[in-house]
Amino acid sequence: MDTLILLKPDVVRKNYIGKILAKFEENGFKIKRLKMLTLNRDEASDFYSVHKNKSFFSELVDFITSGPIVAAIIEGDNAIERVRELIGSTKPSEAKIGTIRREFGSSITENAIHASDSHESFIREVRVVFPDYS
Ligand code: CMP
């Protein structure tokens, strides 16, 4: 099973790409596709369309378009659920010790990483960053 992760601009700026990707390999996942890119506002709005009516939407779009991100398709048994566990809660200060957001995130906006929360989200999100995925 596949899922999608994005390493957000905060951790790319802080030079944590290698350390974070290593966690996926160490936990038995396969990195199937990998790409560094900068989202424009239309792509970011599309990616986060489920949040478009939220108060934090413009802050979210400002941040995710603020610099390069690293997108990866991660493969593994039960990947969606297991990757969500590995990354931890949205708010880094509430994430479990040992999770990626706890270790590398600094706020609810600058929270290091995104991962698809369901198969439907994965299908919608993957087409924004890997349009040729099938
Ligand atoms: P992510 O997993 O990328 O999915 C949506 C993002 O919105 C989430 O991580 C957070 O970075 C951000 N987010 C969620 N809730 C809030 C909030 N209450 N205030 C600001 N940002 C939020």
Side-chain angles (χ1 to χ4, degrees), residues 55-105:
S55 58
F56 57 82
F57 184 68
S58 60
E59 189 184 347
L60 178 59
V61 172
D62 286 347
F63 172 59
I64 206 71
T65 59
S66 68
I69 59 169
V70 171
I73 296 177
I74 301 292
E75 181 181 42
D77 292 342
N78 206 11
I80 291 177
E81 202 180 312
R82 286 173 57 227
V83 165
R84 298 279 294 178
E85 256 168 52
L86 183 60
I87 76 172
S89 305
T90 307
K91 206 171 174 179
S93 60
E94 289 173 1
K96 284 192 194 145
I97 290 174
T99 61
I100 293 170
R101 281 173 168 158
R102 179 63 177 257
E103 190 172 346
F104 299 102

Side-chain angles (χ1 to χ4, degrees), residues 8 48 51 56 59-60 90 101 108-109 111 113-114:
K8 299 189 181 184
Y48 279 127
H51 298 298
F56 57 82
E59 189 184 347
L60 178 59
T90 307
R101 281 173 168 158
I108 196 163
T109 300
N111 66 350
I113 186 165
H114 169 87

